[in-house]
Amino acid sequence: MRQKTVRETEHDGTSAFHFPAGFLWGAATSSHQVEGNNRWNDWWESEQSGILPYRSGEACRHYTLYEHDFDLAQAWGHNAHRFSIEWSRIEPEEGRWNDAAVAHYQDVVTALRARGMEPIVTLHHFTNPAWFARRGGWLQRDSPLLFSRYVQRVASSLKDVRYWLTINEPTVYAKRGFVAGDWPPFVKRSWLKAARVIRNMARAHVAAYRALHGPGWGNVRVGFAHSAPWIVPCDPTRPRDRTAAWLRDFLLNRAFFRLIDSPLGRGRSRRRPLDFVGLNYYARTVVRGGDGIAAWIGEECRLDHHPDRRAFSDIGWEIYPRGLAAVLVRFSSLGLPLMITENGLATADEELRRVFLREHLAAVAEALERGADVIGYLYWSLIDNFEWALGRQARFGLAEVDHRTQRRISRPAAAEYASVCRSNRLSPP
């Protein structure tokens, strides 16, 4: 039974919001962005070759400093943490398993449990083993089989994990790697290959779901982390803008769900292969229909003079908390628990980060009051990290990282977020 939320009136007439009992509070990381020295994956090879402008190197040295980082999270009152397992560490060569790496991730789970934090494990967060990439990666028909084999190897050792996310942002992976072409494998404008990748990732999710729900696995919950922008037309009165926004929303927000909810996903059991949905929300996307193919898929509208534009992050993403409430209410129609698996801000303005966090938590409260079954919120990210093709310039962390010394420095927003985590309550500003 879903726990009820409560809004109470304070002495000054303002209201405080109490989140459901057992709500999961925490932050998130991903292996390549924080661990350091992930030498066996396709990103590392691309960094070393010079195709990518930055090298991850030691990143945040989290592979050895994870307990120190978890001590920070515990001190901030977090009761959950999302991290990813690096497939290329587990299987550095095809069919050769690294038991020491598996044992390391078991130690990570144990360290979280010892600090009272629920481990939320992601099995694929953008990077692939180099051997997997060289043989064609997610374009190959047997890619779901290879992925599910890795999943079974990991899960058989990590028995103390309840929440599993199979794949992080499959639509973003396909878009960046096969349409924009600025991420490995650097294929540009191939919608056909992007569609094949999406289909294979959907098959991989289903295969992983079935593996994790095999005999003897107990009460596990399996989902995936979906990039969930709030997509709207630039001018709602303009049919071309509405059409472009609808199609882009279908491609980015609905197509993957359709695939895993089709006969491909349900199979003979007719059971939907999802126990919960992870939602990564950062901004809205305002779409304007253009000419030619752009008339159909649209282009992102410049917001300089848009009537309800807000502030922007240091990497140009609009800050739009209303979109988070809208996304949560929309995806609640799936009838599944929702977990915010990423939501954060790249900025050097710490007051802006504080306001961002409060406004987005208020949006979560609004969605809960409107009936969305939200079970947790994970800020991106626990510490400053290596932000893919942007290098180290995008500062998302609750803790600043001095990448010369690897020193962690708590930011003001971390303390304010801690008060919410500890009390399970969002008080008036």
Side-chain angles (χ1 to χ4, degrees):
M1 181 182 293
R2 285 181 54 193
Q3 296 286 335
K4 292 184 178 180
T5 57
V6 178
R7 189 176 291 274
E8 293 182 345
T9 302
E10 303 289 284
H11 296 300
D12 60 0
T14 59
S15 62
F17 184 84
H18 292 256
F19 288 84
F23 197 82
L24 297 172
W25 294 106
T29 58
S30 87
S31 56
H32 190 74
Q33 293 181 266
V34 295
E35 285 182 348
N37 298 314
N38 277 316
R39 301 172 182 274
W40 303 275
N41 69 37
D42 52 350
W43 270 84
W44 182 274
E45 285 201 346
S46 299
E47 291 164 12
Q48 302 306 308
S49 70
I51 299 174
L52 288 165
Y54 303 102
R55 295 185 178 186
S56 54
E58 290 193 327
C60 306
R61 218 184 292 159
H62 179 75
Y63 198 81
T64 55
L65 297 176
Y66 66 92
E67 290 196 271
H68 172 73
D69 292 335
F70 296 163
D71 286 342
L72 280 177
Q74 182 187 34
W76 293 332
H78 296 191
N79 63 10
H81 179 74
R82 177 190 174 198
F83 71 96
S84 75
I85 291 175
E86 180 62 37
W87 181 2
S88 68
R89 286 189 187 271
I90 304 298
E91 192 178 7
E93 298 174 12
E94 185 173 2
R96 181 173 74 82
W97 304 100
N98 182 352
D99 291 335
V102 176
H104 165 80
Y105 289 113
Q106 178 58 65
D107 289 344
V108 170
V109 170
T110 300
L112 288 170
R113 289 288 185 202
R115 290 162 176 80
M117 286 187 277
E118 185 77 40
I120 298 159
V121 178
T122 309
L123 289 157
H124 185 277
H125 199 123
F126 293 151
T127 59
N128 301 297
W131 62 262
F132 179 83
R134 290 190 204 106
R135 69 192 299 281
W138 290 102
L139 290 169
Q140 297 303 309
R141 185 169 180 78
D142 65 347
S143 54
L145 176 64
L146 294 171
F147 180 70
S148 65
R149 186 182 67 180
Y150 145 71
V151 170
Q152 290 180 62
R153 186 78 178 201
V154 170
S156 64
S157 297
L158 273 63
K159 291 286 192 179
D160 198 22
V161 174
R162 184 183 185 196
Y163 290 98
W164 296 90
L165 294 160
T166 57
I167 299 172
N168 181 74
E169 299 185 346
T171 53
V172 171
Y173 175 83
K175 178 184 174 184
R176 300 299 294 268
F178 297 88
V179 180
D182 54 353
W183 286 9
F186 307 104
V187 177
K188 293 185 182 293
R189 295 183 294 278
S190 180
W191 290 95
L192 183 61
K193 288 183 177 179
R196 191 187 308 168
V197 165
I198 288 292
R199 180 171 176 81
N200 281 335
M201 282 189 152
R203 291 172 58 220
H205 165 81
V206 172
Y209 180 91
R210 290 173 179 163
L212 289 164
H213 278 286
W217 286 107
N219 185 26
V220 300
R221 295 186 179 184
V222 182
F224 73 98
H226 172 61
S227 173
W230 181 241
I231 300 173
V232 296
C234 183
D235 182 351
T237 67
R238 190 169 180 250
R240 188 172 290 186
D241 289 6
R242 293 200 307 271
T243 299
W246 183 92
L247 183 55
R248 184 175 289 226
D249 182 70
F250 176 81
L251 293 172
L252 298 184
N253 270 335
R254 286 177 286 154
F256 196 81
F257 285 92
R258 291 280 184 92
L259 281 171
I260 64 173
D261 208 25
S262 70
L264 174 153
R266 294 207 178 206
R268 293 178 181 175
S269 71
R270 305 304 298 165
R271 176 178 177 175
R272 171 189 279 165
L274 275 175
D275 303 314
F276 74 102
V277 178
L279 295 174
N280 297 353
Y281 175 82
Y282 289 95
R284 71 171 171 169
T285 300
V286 183
V287 182
R288 179 189 296 277
D291 298 318
I293 191 171
W296 296 101
I297 62 170
E299 56 193 7
E300 292 190 23
C301 178
R302 288 180 59 87
L303 298 177
D304 304 36
H305 304 293
H306 212 269
D308 63 344
R309 68 181 288 272
R310 294 284 304 266
F312 293 85
S313 73
D314 287 354
I315 55 177
W317 297 353
E318 185 193 22
I319 299 171
Y320 195 74
R322 288 171 55 193
L324 177 56
V327 159
L328 289 168
V329 170
R330 179 190 183 181
F331 279 95
S332 67
S333 65
L334 292 170
L336 293 168
L338 307 175
M339 184 187 298
I340 301 149
T341 40
E342 290 181 28
N343 174 240
L345 180 68
T347 186
D349 183 339
E350 293 312 313
E351 175 60 17
L352 185 61
R353 191 188 312 277
R354 187 190 69 79
V355 172
F356 173 96
L357 191 49
R358 285 201 63 88
E359 290 186 338
H360 283 79
L361 293 179
V364 178
E366 177 189 338
L368 281 160
E369 289 188 311
R370 292 170 63 184
D373 184 11
V374 188
I375 61 173
Y377 175 92
L378 305 172
Y379 179 83
W380 183 271
S381 122
L382 180 67
I383 55 178
D384 286 341
N385 56 32
F386 179 78
E387 189 57 33
W388 306 111
L390 297 175
R392 293 173 175 81
Q393 61 180 306
R395 297 282 184 157
F396 280 96
L398 291 172
E400 175 188 349
V401 174
D402 182 332
H403 289 287
R404 293 178 296 106
T405 65
Q406 295 296 345
R407 182 185 173 211
R408 276 67 161 151
I409 305 160
S410 179
R411 290 195 163 108
E416 181 149 347
Y417 182 41
S419 68
V420 177
C421 298
R422 294 192 192 104
S423 66
N424 204 37
R425 176 178 179 271
L426 184 63
S427 59

